[in-house]
Amino acid sequence: MEESSLENRSIVGQHALTKRMLSNILKVSQEAKAAKRLNPQLIDATVGMLNRESGQLFSYRTVSESLNRLNDNEMFSYSPANGTAEFRSGVIDWVFGKNKEQITKAFTISVIPTTGGSGAISNAVYNFNDFGQKILLPNHYWTPYENIAEEANLGVETFLMFDEEMHFNRQEFRRQALALAGRQHRLFVILNDPCNNPTGLSLSKDDWKDVIDVLNQIARQDIPVILLHDLAYIDYHSAGFDGARGIFETYLDMDERILTIIAFSGSKTFSLYGFRIGAQVGMSKSKSVMEDFCRVGDYSVRARFSSVSRSGMSVIGSIFTNPDKKAAFQAELLEAREILGKRVQLFFECATKYQLTTLPYSGGFFIGVPTENPNIFEDLVKDGVYVITMPGLIRVAISSVPLTDIDRMVQIIKKNA
Amino acid sequence: MEESSLENRSIVGQHALTKRMLSNILKVSQEAKAAKRLNPQLIDATVGMLNRESGQLFSYRTVSESLNRLNDNEMFSYSPANGTAEFRSGVIDWVFGKNKEQITKAFTISVIPTTGGSGAISNAVYNFNDFGQKILLPNHYWTPYENIAEEANLGVETFLMFDEEMHFNRQEFRRQALALAGRQHRLFVILNDPCNNPTGLSLSKDDWKDVIDVLNQIARQDIPVILLHDLAYIDYHSAGFDGARGIFETYLDMDERILTIIAFSGSKTFSLYGFRIGAQVGMSKSKSVMEDFCRVGDYSVRARFSSVSRSGMSVIGSIFTNPDKKAAFQAELLEAREILGKRVQLFFECATKYQLTTLPYSGGFFIGVPTENPNIFEDLVKDGVYVITMPGLIRVAISSVPLTDIDRMVQIIKKNA
């Protein structure tokens, strides 16, 4: 180490020399917001926050009321190092829903609070890979995954996400997962499901069975397998609360050596975007794998950001543990899904009308539109529409576009895509 | 890389195999709190939060009122990627105080919001070292520095903090800094000053001159030099706001190649402990060093925790930019320092009375007491006192001990130290 470092005369460490943020969704979104302040006619479909038809953020009354009732300790003190018991057990109830009993019987589960879903992903990517390895992603992915990998001194490898019928490409997943695992003796895969960011796809239960079959096959070769399941948008699935959670039945078949880390996002579920509250839900049938998970996970929380939002954790804990609040919050979530549902319906009516090709959508904040126009971002901006562009597609945050703008937006996208 | 990873059959990455949290101040503090709930006679002097004489957290009215007045956007939305302009410029005003003009003339400065002071430290340690190197600390240090280093795949090296007269040991700093820099061709040093955590020491202006002289000497050998200046407790200095900031005059002599990163803590200054809001204030006379600072710093924020507390940033920004609020907050800070000052005075009166040796104290939340008793933690717990122990000393968080408990606490410490 010391020898090679003699060559590094930069103020920056060697592993950080090449880091350069090429696209930052939050920054593009700021630019869109600023532009819209000058010209209210512009359509801002950039960032993953749910807005009301008025353009105001959709905040939950249950959340605001709970926040207003916190005492000084619940508001200002440091969080307990491993989070409050209410938060930890509430997250497990919430994430698994009707499958909770089966899942908690089959797996050892541990919840580690993190700074949002991003903190959960970042800590997991850092801890469960060797420097220089690659993580596996579908070719359409939320671009920060790549930044999180580079930050952790890792690369990414992708598999083709869709087959010819625009279903999840099970064959390509299998092929690439086996190849990468064989090559580097580790498989760390991130699946953003249901309501995929950026495409809107949800894997079917049969897709999930197939995914787990592949993971099992690799784990049985004594190769470490880590599944990072990012379900940030699960509560905006058009199939509703229970419908979105059916996929967990397929978890039961998992080989005991596999470590699954579910990234839970308080930002999305509770509109607590700016609070930075989320969790890693670690689960495995192996107790020793879970000991490792807790050991390095707790360490990273302390050594990367010390502790997480106390007020966010207090609010979520109080909603999770108070049945009346929980019911009131569920009712508000229905309202949120309805708002989203109306926009989605109109979007697809317009897409049919104007013959715009889209990717399959089943819920969440985003609709994916394939494009081969390399200047799509600039072309759309010229016509007054801001979206996030990714290789081969544009991501339309339908969560923030009011009904009155949708017909016009679809026409503009059709013109440029 | 891939070859060596073939040997790693653990679910955990190689660089994380040995991470194990041996002492966690927040956890010890939770245990102390739980014990005190069962037995209110116990004295909890563990954690760095300021409490009123009643035992309640000292929260600032200006902060609570500002928080209550935030609109949904200021409360719930994502923060702008680089923070709000109010926050960024307010932090510079606040940190440098009367020296601001001189400092901003001499240096290029950039503020990056982080999840508390810890996030600032963690990101800096990770970005500005090569894996396997060592960072330099005094032998009495806040133990999380060591965890932050290990998390970043780094080690620590220490210098003797005190000379025989219990002043800052300039000679030992010089000797060790030069030796380490020569050995690994990089110097990354953390100084926690003023109001050092854990000892209570504040370096004199002459100490700082000497420190900067050493850093200059190393930088002029074309060795990368990074000074991480953690001033979490600056606003609880017994010398007051201006008195605490005199040290920045010595900054002006810094060699242009040096990168200084000030870790600003919203937790301490505003009692926003659980909000996780702080900042890296990066500064250098070299524009190219600052380009590197911004490039990798922004990247790490996005790739480690995505963005930071919007509500915390909104509150601090509104206090910084509203002169009436700022004045009201300054008055409350005086009140806080008075509470602290009375306890400190009584502590030292008792220390004289019971002949307890202490380390020099000039402000902040902690008083250091040297000890050679290896079982000091357990012995004190038996007698009903919880403190944080570190090699060779105990750290007494006078910030959380009411006046009525101090005489008894000093007697118990004297008995066991």
Side-chain angles (χ1 to χ4, degrees), chain B residues 339-379:
Chain B
I339 291 175
L340 210 49
K342 280 185 192 157
R343 291 181 195 158
V344 167
Q345 197 188 343
L346 180 58
F347 184 97
F348 282 100
E349 282 168 19
C350 296
T352 304
K353 187 162 65 176
Y354 304 116
Q355 297 181 293
L356 176 71
T357 306
T358 64
L359 296 174
Y361 171 92
S362 64
F365 286 10
F366 309 112
I367 296 172
V369 178
T371 179
E372 288 175 4
N373 174 359
N375 302 314
I376 183 76
F377 181 78
E378 293 76 11
D379 289 347

mmCIF file of all heavy atoms in Angstrom, chain B residues 339-379:
data_model
loop_
_atom_site.group_PDB
_atom_site.id
_atom_site.type_symbol
_atom_site.label_atom_id
_atom_site.label_comp_id
_atom_site.label_asym_id
_atom_site.label_seq_id
_atom_site.Cartn_x
_atom_site.Cartn_y
_atom_site.Cartn_z
ATOM 1 N N ILE B 339 -25.354 28.059 31.863
ATOM 2 C CA ILE B 339 -25.703 26.804 32.543
ATOM 3 C C ILE B 339 -24.461 25.933 32.662
ATOM 4 O O ILE B 339 -24.137 25.408 33.729
ATOM 5 C CB ILE B 339 -26.796 26.057 31.744
ATOM 6 C CG1 ILE B 339 -28.111 26.821 31.831
ATOM 7 C CG2 ILE B 339 -26.944 24.624 32.234
ATOM 8 C CD1 ILE B 339 -29.222 26.227 30.966
ATOM 9 N N LEU B 340 -23.767 25.793 31.532
ATOM 10 C CA LEU B 340 -22.548 24.991 31.480
ATOM 11 C C LEU B 340 -21.496 25.567 32.429
ATOM 12 O O LEU B 340 -20.850 24.827 33.190
ATOM 13 C CB LEU B 340 -22.039 25.027 30.035
ATOM 14 C CG LEU B 340 -21.275 23.867 29.455
ATOM 15 C CD1 LEU B 340 -21.965 22.544 29.687
ATOM 16 C CD2 LEU B 340 -21.093 24.091 27.941
ATOM 17 N N GLY B 341 -21.325 26.893 32.395
ATOM 18 C CA GLY B 341 -20.285 27.555 33.185
ATOM 19 C C GLY B 341 -20.461 27.329 34.680
ATOM 20 O O GLY B 341 -19.474 27.085 35.405
ATOM 21 N N LYS B 342 -21.711 27.388 35.144
ATOM 22 C CA LYS B 342 -21.971 27.169 36.574
ATOM 23 C C LYS B 342 -21.582 25.763 36.999
ATOM 24 O O LYS B 342 -21.018 25.550 38.061
ATOM 25 C CB LYS B 342 -23.464 27.392 36.862
ATOM 26 C CG LYS B 342 -23.834 28.863 36.984
ATOM 27 C CD LYS B 342 -25.294 29.011 37.386
ATOM 28 C CE LYS B 342 -25.725 30.459 37.203
ATOM 29 N NZ LYS B 342 -27.190 30.566 37.040
ATOM 30 N N ARG B 343 -21.897 24.805 36.138
ATOM 31 C CA ARG B 343 -21.556 23.408 36.470
ATOM 32 C C ARG B 343 -20.047 23.209 36.493
ATOM 33 O O ARG B 343 -19.508 22.529 37.365
ATOM 34 C CB ARG B 343 -22.174 22.456 35.436
ATOM 35 C CG ARG B 343 -23.664 22.398 35.518
ATOM 36 C CD ARG B 343 -24.210 21.435 34.490
ATOM 37 N NE ARG B 343 -25.634 21.649 34.322
ATOM 38 C CZ ARG B 343 -26.324 21.297 33.262
ATOM 39 N NH1 ARG B 343 -25.730 20.678 32.259
ATOM 40 N NH2 ARG B 343 -27.621 21.538 33.199
ATOM 41 N N VAL B 344 -19.389 23.815 35.515
ATOM 42 C CA VAL B 344 -17.937 23.658 35.417
ATOM 43 C C VAL B 344 -17.273 24.262 36.651
ATOM 44 O O VAL B 344 -16.364 23.664 37.252
ATOM 45 C CB VAL B 344 -17.424 24.327 34.125
ATOM 46 C CG1 VAL B 344 -15.914 24.456 34.144
ATOM 47 C CG2 VAL B 344 -17.904 23.538 32.907
ATOM 48 N N GLN B 345 -17.747 25.446 37.055
ATOM 49 C CA GLN B 345 -17.169 26.109 38.224
ATOM 50 C C GLN B 345 -17.312 25.233 39.459
ATOM 51 O O GLN B 345 -16.346 25.003 40.201
ATOM 52 C CB GLN B 345 -17.875 27.440 38.434
ATOM 53 C CG GLN B 345 -17.100 28.373 39.355
ATOM 54 C CD GLN B 345 -17.922 29.621 39.712
ATOM 55 O OE1 GLN B 345 -18.913 29.935 39.040
ATOM 56 N NE2 GLN B 345 -17.518 30.308 40.776
ATOM 57 N N LEU B 346 -18.511 24.703 39.658
ATOM 58 C CA LEU B 346 -18.743 23.840 40.818
ATOM 59 C C LEU B 346 -17.887 22.582 40.735
ATOM 60 O O LEU B 346 -17.308 22.133 41.734
ATOM 61 C CB LEU B 346 -20.235 23.474 40.901
ATOM 62 C CG LEU B 346 -20.625 22.568 42.078
ATOM 63 C CD1 LEU B 346 -20.261 23.201 43.426
ATOM 64 C CD2 LEU B 346 -22.128 22.262 42.035
ATOM 65 N N PHE B 347 -17.791 22.014 39.521
ATOM 66 C CA PHE B 347 -16.984 20.796 39.356
ATOM 67 C C PHE B 347 -15.548 21.044 39.817
ATOM 68 O O PHE B 347 -14.966 20.247 40.547
ATOM 69 C CB PHE B 347 -17.004 20.346 37.895
ATOM 70 C CG PHE B 347 -16.281 19.043 37.654
ATOM 71 C CD1 PHE B 347 -16.979 17.842 37.605
ATOM 72 C CD2 PHE B 347 -14.898 19.014 37.479
ATOM 73 C CE1 PHE B 347 -16.312 16.641 37.398
ATOM 74 C CE2 PHE B 347 -14.222 17.816 37.275
ATOM 75 C CZ PHE B 347 -14.937 16.624 37.228
ATOM 76 N N PHE B 348 -14.988 22.177 39.380
ATOM 77 C CA PHE B 348 -13.588 22.423 39.720
ATOM 78 C C PHE B 348 -13.423 22.805 41.192
ATOM 79 O O PHE B 348 -12.397 22.497 41.807
ATOM 80 C CB PHE B 348 -12.957 23.433 38.761
ATOM 81 C CG PHE B 348 -12.614 22.791 37.440
ATOM 82 C CD1 PHE B 348 -13.436 22.935 36.333
ATOM 83 C CD2 PHE B 348 -11.496 21.983 37.331
ATOM 84 C CE1 PHE B 348 -13.142 22.315 35.136
ATOM 85 C CE2 PHE B 348 -11.183 21.353 36.124
ATOM 86 C CZ PHE B 348 -12.020 21.519 35.025
ATOM 87 N N GLU B 349 -14.412 23.454 41.796
ATOM 88 C CA GLU B 349 -14.377 23.686 43.245
ATOM 89 C C GLU B 349 -14.341 22.351 43.993
ATOM 90 O O GLU B 349 -13.539 22.166 44.918
ATOM 91 C CB GLU B 349 -15.612 24.483 43.694
ATOM 92 C CG GLU B 349 -15.519 25.983 43.393
ATOM 93 C CD GLU B 349 -16.859 26.709 43.568
ATOM 94 O OE1 GLU B 349 -17.740 26.148 44.260
ATOM 95 O OE2 GLU B 349 -17.013 27.804 42.986
ATOM 96 N N CYS B 350 -15.190 21.432 43.551
ATOM 97 C CA CYS B 350 -15.222 20.111 44.190
ATOM 98 C C CYS B 350 -13.923 19.346 43.928
ATOM 99 O O CYS B 350 -13.417 18.638 44.805
ATOM 100 C CB CYS B 350 -16.408 19.298 43.699
ATOM 101 S SG CYS B 350 -17.992 20.018 44.128
ATOM 102 N N ALA B 351 -13.406 19.478 42.717
ATOM 103 C CA ALA B 351 -12.162 18.785 42.381
ATOM 104 C C ALA B 351 -11.036 19.256 43.312
ATOM 105 O O ALA B 351 -10.208 18.454 43.772
ATOM 106 C CB ALA B 351 -11.793 19.039 40.919
ATOM 107 N N THR B 352 -11.016 20.566 43.593
ATOM 108 C CA THR B 352 -10.006 21.091 44.526
ATOM 109 C C THR B 352 -10.252 20.524 45.923
ATOM 110 O O THR B 352 -9.322 20.026 46.579
ATOM 111 C CB THR B 352 -10.089 22.635 44.556
ATOM 112 O OG1 THR B 352 -9.944 23.121 43.228
ATOM 113 C CG2 THR B 352 -8.993 23.218 45.435
ATOM 114 N N LYS B 353 -11.515 20.575 46.326
ATOM 115 C CA LYS B 353 -11.879 20.110 47.674
ATOM 116 C C LYS B 353 -11.469 18.652 47.878
ATOM 117 O O LYS B 353 -10.897 18.284 48.898
ATOM 118 C CB LYS B 353 -13.391 20.277 47.850
ATOM 119 C CG LYS B 353 -13.904 19.992 49.250
ATOM 120 C CD LYS B 353 -15.309 20.566 49.513
ATOM 121 C CE LYS B 353 -16.374 19.920 48.653
ATOM 122 N NZ LYS B 353 -17.738 20.379 48.949
ATOM 123 N N TYR B 354 -11.738 17.798 46.887
ATOM 124 C CA TYR B 354 -11.463 16.365 47.039
ATOM 125 C C TYR B 354 -10.144 15.942 46.392
ATOM 126 O O TYR B 354 -9.869 14.749 46.271
ATOM 127 C CB TYR B 354 -12.624 15.546 46.471
ATOM 128 C CG TYR B 354 -13.951 15.893 47.099
ATOM 129 C CD1 TYR B 354 -14.981 16.445 46.354
ATOM 130 C CD2 TYR B 354 -14.160 15.684 48.470
ATOM 131 C CE1 TYR B 354 -16.191 16.773 46.939
ATOM 132 C CE2 TYR B 354 -15.363 16.028 49.063
ATOM 133 C CZ TYR B 354 -16.384 16.577 48.294
ATOM 134 O OH TYR B 354 -17.568 16.906 48.897
ATOM 135 N N GLN B 355 -9.358 16.958 45.964
ATOM 136 C CA GLN B 355 -8.042 16.696 45.354
ATOM 137 C C GLN B 355 -8.113 15.733 44.164
ATOM 138 O O GLN B 355 -7.350 14.771 44.064
ATOM 139 C CB GLN B 355 -7.069 16.168 46.414
ATOM 140 C CG GLN B 355 -6.824 17.210 47.493
ATOM 141 C CD GLN B 355 -5.852 16.710 48.544
ATOM 142 O OE1 GLN B 355 -6.148 15.786 49.286
ATOM 143 N NE2 GLN B 355 -4.681 17.331 48.594
ATOM 144 N N LEU B 356 -9.077 15.989 43.286
ATOM 145 C CA LEU B 356 -9.192 15.198 42.051
ATOM 146 C C LEU B 356 -8.380 15.892 40.945
ATOM 147 O O LEU B 356 -8.559 17.081 40.687
ATOM 148 C CB LEU B 356 -10.660 15.095 41.613
ATOM 149 C CG LEU B 356 -10.910 14.371 40.289
ATOM 150 C CD1 LEU B 356 -10.655 12.871 40.438
ATOM 151 C CD2 LEU B 356 -12.336 14.624 39.788
ATOM 152 N N THR B 357 -7.467 15.155 40.336
ATOM 153 C CA THR B 357 -6.687 15.702 39.228
ATOM 154 C C THR B 357 -7.531 15.673 37.951
ATOM 155 O O THR B 357 -8.168 14.658 37.649
ATOM 156 C CB THR B 357 -5.420 14.857 38.999
ATOM 157 O OG1 THR B 357 -4.725 14.778 40.244
ATOM 158 C CG2 THR B 357 -4.528 15.482 37.937
ATOM 159 N N THR B 358 -7.521 16.779 37.221
ATOM 160 C CA THR B 358 -8.270 16.822 35.963
ATOM 161 C C THR B 358 -7.358 17.315 34.844
ATOM 162 O O THR B 358 -6.279 17.857 35.103
ATOM 163 C CB THR B 358 -9.452 17.803 36.046
ATOM 164 O OG1 THR B 358 -8.925 19.121 36.244
ATOM 165 C CG2 THR B 358 -10.396 17.447 37.178
ATOM 166 N N LEU B 359 -7.804 17.151 33.633
ATOM 167 C CA LEU B 359 -7.087 17.726 32.497
ATOM 168 C C LEU B 359 -7.537 19.182 32.338
ATOM 169 O O LEU B 359 -8.609 19.547 32.812
ATOM 170 C CB LEU B 359 -7.400 16.918 31.226
ATOM 171 C CG LEU B 359 -6.899 15.473 31.286
ATOM 172 C CD1 LEU B 359 -7.364 14.683 30.069
ATOM 173 C CD2 LEU B 359 -5.369 15.445 31.373
ATOM 174 N N PRO B 360 -6.697 20.019 31.697
ATOM 175 C CA PRO B 360 -7.061 21.431 31.540
ATOM 176 C C PRO B 360 -8.348 21.569 30.733
ATOM 177 O O PRO B 360 -8.516 20.900 29.709
ATOM 178 C CB PRO B 360 -5.869 22.029 30.776
ATOM 179 C CG PRO B 360 -5.139 20.881 30.188
ATOM 180 C CD PRO B 360 -5.400 19.717 31.083
ATOM 181 N N TYR B 361 -9.242 22.444 31.192
ATOM 182 C CA TYR B 361 -10.557 22.626 30.557
ATOM 183 C C TYR B 361 -10.743 24.079 30.166
ATOM 184 O O TYR B 361 -10.419 24.976 30.947
ATOM 185 C CB TYR B 361 -11.663 22.216 31.526
ATOM 186 C CG TYR B 361 -13.062 22.562 31.037
ATOM 187 C CD1 TYR B 361 -13.815 21.647 30.304
ATOM 188 C CD2 TYR B 361 -13.624 23.818 31.296
ATOM 189 C CE1 TYR B 361 -15.080 21.963 29.849
ATOM 190 C CE2 TYR B 361 -14.900 24.144 30.835
ATOM 191 C CZ TYR B 361 -15.619 23.221 30.108
ATOM 192 O OH TYR B 361 -16.864 23.528 29.648
ATOM 193 N N SER B 362 -11.273 24.331 28.984
ATOM 194 C CA SER B 362 -11.537 25.722 28.604
ATOM 195 C C SER B 362 -12.914 25.909 27.994
ATOM 196 O O SER B 362 -13.249 27.007 27.575
ATOM 197 C CB SER B 362 -10.476 26.189 27.608
ATOM 198 O OG SER B 362 -10.595 25.414 26.440
ATOM 199 N N GLY B 363 -13.686 24.863 27.939
ATOM 200 C CA GLY B 363 -15.021 25.002 27.382
ATOM 201 C C GLY B 363 -15.512 23.696 26.810
ATOM 202 O O GLY B 363 -14.779 22.701 26.770
ATOM 203 N N GLY B 364 -16.766 23.688 26.381
ATOM 204 C CA GLY B 364 -17.321 22.496 25.771
ATOM 205 C C GLY B 364 -18.085 21.639 26.759
ATOM 206 O O GLY B 364 -18.308 22.027 27.894
ATOM 207 N N PHE B 365 -18.487 20.475 26.296
ATOM 208 C CA PHE B 365 -19.382 19.605 27.058
ATOM 209 C C PHE B 365 -18.646 18.659 28.003
ATOM 210 O O PHE B 365 -19.270 18.011 28.829
ATOM 211 C CB PHE B 365 -20.219 18.746 26.092
ATOM 212 C CG PHE B 365 -21.315 19.487 25.377
ATOM 213 C CD1 PHE B 365 -21.412 20.880 25.428
ATOM 214 C CD2 PHE B 365 -22.279 18.789 24.647
ATOM 215 C CE1 PHE B 365 -22.436 21.551 24.761
ATOM 216 C CE2 PHE B 365 -23.302 19.453 23.987
ATOM 217 C CZ PHE B 365 -23.380 20.830 24.038
ATOM 218 N N PHE B 366 -17.315 18.545 27.847
ATOM 219 C CA PHE B 366 -16.604 17.453 28.524
ATOM 220 C C PHE B 366 -15.446 17.936 29.392
ATOM 221 O O PHE B 366 -14.722 18.859 29.021
ATOM 222 C CB PHE B 366 -16.047 16.471 27.496
ATOM 223 C CG PHE B 366 -17.083 16.014 26.520
ATOM 224 C CD1 PHE B 366 -17.006 16.386 25.173
ATOM 225 C CD2 PHE B 366 -18.157 15.248 26.936
ATOM 226 C CE1 PHE B 366 -17.968 15.982 24.274
ATOM 227 C CE2 PHE B 366 -19.135 14.846 26.036
ATOM 228 C CZ PHE B 366 -19.046 15.213 24.698
ATOM 229 N N ILE B 367 -15.277 17.249 30.526
ATOM 230 C CA ILE B 367 -14.083 17.428 31.353
ATOM 231 C C ILE B 367 -13.369 16.088 31.385
ATOM 232 O O ILE B 367 -14.007 15.040 31.600
ATOM 233 C CB ILE B 367 -14.463 17.868 32.787
ATOM 234 C CG1 ILE B 367 -15.141 19.251 32.748
ATOM 235 C CG2 ILE B 367 -13.228 17.904 33.687
ATOM 236 C CD1 ILE B 367 -15.733 19.687 34.085
ATOM 237 N N GLY B 368 -12.061 16.101 31.124
ATOM 238 C CA GLY B 368 -11.282 14.867 31.148
ATOM 239 C C GLY B 368 -10.641 14.654 32.505
ATOM 240 O O GLY B 368 -10.135 15.594 33.112
ATOM 241 N N VAL B 369 -10.689 13.414 32.986
ATOM 242 C CA VAL B 369 -10.040 13.064 34.253
ATOM 243 C C VAL B 369 -9.111 11.888 33.989
ATOM 244 O O VAL B 369 -9.573 10.829 33.540
ATOM 245 C CB VAL B 369 -11.085 12.670 35.325
ATOM 246 C CG1 VAL B 369 -10.390 12.251 36.621
ATOM 247 C CG2 VAL B 369 -12.061 13.821 35.581
ATOM 248 N N PRO B 370 -7.804 12.081 34.218
ATOM 249 C CA PRO B 370 -6.887 10.966 33.963
ATOM 250 C C PRO B 370 -7.099 9.840 34.984
ATOM 251 O O PRO B 370 -7.477 10.104 36.124
ATOM 252 C CB PRO B 370 -5.496 11.595 34.132
ATOM 253 C CG PRO B 370 -5.691 12.929 34.750
ATOM 254 C CD PRO B 370 -7.140 13.266 34.752
ATOM 255 N N THR B 371 -6.878 8.632 34.551
ATOM 256 C CA THR B 371 -7.017 7.490 35.466
ATOM 257 C C THR B 371 -6.117 6.368 35.002
ATOM 258 O O THR B 371 -5.838 6.243 33.802
ATOM 259 C CB THR B 371 -8.469 6.980 35.520
ATOM 260 O OG1 THR B 371 -8.519 5.850 36.407
ATOM 261 C CG2 THR B 371 -8.962 6.539 34.153
ATOM 262 N N GLU B 372 -5.653 5.565 35.964
ATOM 263 C CA GLU B 372 -4.901 4.357 35.593
ATOM 264 C C GLU B 372 -5.657 3.112 36.000
ATOM 265 O O GLU B 372 -5.125 2.002 35.919
ATOM 266 C CB GLU B 372 -3.507 4.407 36.221
ATOM 267 C CG GLU B 372 -2.651 5.457 35.513
ATOM 268 C CD GLU B 372 -1.285 5.667 36.144
ATOM 269 O OE1 GLU B 372 -0.942 4.934 37.103
ATOM 270 O OE2 GLU B 372 -0.564 6.570 35.678
ATOM 271 N N ASN B 373 -6.890 3.290 36.425
ATOM 272 C CA ASN B 373 -7.704 2.153 36.834
ATOM 273 C C ASN B 373 -8.327 1.488 35.603
ATOM 274 O O ASN B 373 -9.154 2.084 34.931
ATOM 275 C CB ASN B 373 -8.802 2.651 37.785
ATOM 276 C CG ASN B 373 -9.792 1.545 38.143
ATOM 277 O OD1 ASN B 373 -9.680 0.411 37.668
ATOM 278 N ND2 ASN B 373 -10.753 1.887 38.989
ATOM 279 N N PRO B 374 -7.898 0.242 35.307
ATOM 280 C CA PRO B 374 -8.425 -0.407 34.094
ATOM 281 C C PRO B 374 -9.902 -0.786 34.223
ATOM 282 O O PRO B 374 -10.565 -1.030 33.217
ATOM 283 C CB PRO B 374 -7.544 -1.652 33.951
ATOM 284 C CG PRO B 374 -7.048 -1.936 35.333
ATOM 285 C CD PRO B 374 -6.945 -0.615 36.040
ATOM 286 N N ASN B 375 -10.409 -0.854 35.434
ATOM 287 C CA ASN B 375 -11.827 -1.214 35.631
ATOM 288 C C ASN B 375 -12.677 -0.012 35.996
ATOM 289 O O ASN B 375 -13.704 -0.135 36.647
ATOM 290 C CB ASN B 375 -11.953 -2.272 36.731
ATOM 291 C CG ASN B 375 -11.155 -3.502 36.412
ATOM 292 O OD1 ASN B 375 -11.211 -3.998 35.288
ATOM 293 N ND2 ASN B 375 -10.375 -3.971 37.369
ATOM 294 N N ILE B 376 -12.213 1.158 35.586
ATOM 295 C CA ILE B 376 -12.866 2.385 36.040
ATOM 296 C C ILE B 376 -14.353 2.420 35.672
ATOM 297 O O ILE B 376 -15.191 2.853 36.474
ATOM 298 C CB ILE B 376 -12.121 3.633 35.476
ATOM 299 C CG1 ILE B 376 -12.740 4.927 35.985
ATOM 300 C CG2 ILE B 376 -12.084 3.626 33.969
ATOM 301 C CD1 ILE B 376 -12.398 5.240 37.394
ATOM 302 N N PHE B 377 -14.698 1.935 34.473
ATOM 303 C CA PHE B 377 -16.108 2.003 34.065
ATOM 304 C C PHE B 377 -16.984 1.209 35.037
ATOM 305 O O PHE B 377 -17.957 1.728 35.586
ATOM 306 C CB PHE B 377 -16.284 1.490 32.626
ATOM 307 C CG PHE B 377 -17.712 1.573 32.153
ATOM 308 C CD1 PHE B 377 -18.254 2.782 31.748
ATOM 309 C CD2 PHE B 377 -18.528 0.439 32.144
ATOM 310 C CE1 PHE B 377 -19.588 2.871 31.325
ATOM 311 C CE2 PHE B 377 -19.862 0.523 31.721
ATOM 312 C CZ PHE B 377 -20.386 1.737 31.321
ATOM 313 N N GLU B 378 -16.614 -0.038 35.270
ATOM 314 C CA GLU B 378 -17.397 -0.909 36.147
ATOM 315 C C GLU B 378 -17.416 -0.367 37.575
ATOM 316 O O GLU B 378 -18.444 -0.397 38.248
ATOM 317 C CB GLU B 378 -16.828 -2.341 36.152
ATOM 318 C CG GLU B 378 -16.955 -3.092 34.827
ATOM 319 C CD GLU B 378 -15.951 -2.652 33.766
ATOM 320 O OE1 GLU B 378 -15.003 -1.900 34.110
ATOM 321 O OE2 GLU B 378 -16.118 -3.028 32.590
ATOM 322 N N ASP B 379 -16.265 0.114 38.048
ATOM 323 C CA ASP B 379 -16.197 0.639 39.417
ATOM 324 C C ASP B 379 -17.128 1.831 39.597
ATOM 325 O O ASP B 379 -17.807 1.955 40.619
ATOM 326 C CB ASP B 379 -14.757 1.045 39.770
ATOM 327 C CG ASP B 379 -13.857 -0.189 39.948
ATOM 328 O OD1 ASP B 379 -14.405 -1.315 40.040
ATOM 329 O OD2 ASP B 379 -12.617 -0.021 39.981
#
